[in-house]
Amino acid sequence: MTHGEVLSKVDAGVLTLTLNRPDALNAATDPLLEQLLQGLRGAEHEAKVRVIVITGAGRAFCAGQDLQAVQGRQISFKAHLEKTYNQVISRIRSLEKPVLAAVNGVAAGAGFSLALACDLRIASSEASFVPAFSKIGLVPDSGMSYHLPRLVGYQKAFELLVTSPRLSAEEALALGLVERVVGAGEFQAAVQALAGQLAAGPTKAFGLTKRALQRNATATLAEALAYEAMLQEIAGRTEDYKEGTRAFREKRAPDFKGR
Ligand code: T3D
């Protein structure tokens, strides 16, 4: 299915959502954000989708808010963020399937925030990362002030946000902002391989893992242990758990179905 500003394709368990405004470096308009949100919502209950990849068309991942589209805009910033970006970011975090950012090129402003909200980031060696917000007199949004300090610490986050450098993919890797950097020529194949590996995994357990990490980020040990035990009760009742243990006994690779 194709919406125009976000291209959508499902193949072998992988839903790829491609931000598709390459002439504007995939800068986000309201239709783009709405279409991205629709894609994420649709993925939630679609059994055929076991992993979601977000990427960009052309040479960019996403240059953040489209700064042409804000000219003469009537809506307040607060209302706009609540209606658009906050919905997308919250949906990525609550979606109980892995969401992978395939950062093919520059990620700036809320485009950088979008990448940070995903569960994993794989970057092309041609990717770059620009906080951008302070360059135009804004504060970090779309989860940037939440995710960035958790990855790099308060001081580094502050430095990045107020100086707004353009970080190369290798610099982002060194800072822990991405998990992998792959040469541009091998990027698509590497994204497919990683997404394919995740799509063949125990989807329910992955979703519950996501829930556990988020919930327990602010929990006491006692709360974390109790929550893990509760989630394991759910995971232990899945078909994939039965298959995983059967495959172990039979000394073969498991054939997980995501159920
Ligand atoms: O509700 C709210 O509005 C608040 C939400 C805010 C969220 C935010 O994301 S605020 C931050 C917005 N984003 C930016 O400030 C980034 C602006 N762009 C840049 O700094 C640079 O373009 C990049 C670092 C991303 C890339 O630089 P470079 O040199 O590789 O490309 P370029 O030549 O600057 O851009 C190429 C084209 O894309 C150019 O158009 P042209 O001249 O070829 O017709 C440029 O204007 C366009 N473009 C880039 N970013 C945006 C954009 N067009 C609209 N909006 C953009 N954000």
Side-chain angles (χ1 to χ4, degrees), residues 21-28 59-60 62-70 73 75-78 80-81 84-85 106-111 113 128 130-133 135-136 138-139 141-142 166:
R21 303 187 65 238
D23 292 345
L25 304 188
N26 304 317
R59 75 173 175 92
C62 174
Q65 170 63 37
D66 188 303
L67 298 176
Q68 305 294 346
V70 297
R73 199 172 70 186
I75 190 169
S76 74
F77 281 89
K78 180 172 177 286
H80 185 248
L81 285 168
T84 57
Y85 292 98
V106 65
S113 307
S128 58
V130 191
F133 295 99
K135 290 271 183 200
I136 56 167
L138 288 184
V139 300
D141 65 26
S142 307
R166 187 167 185 155

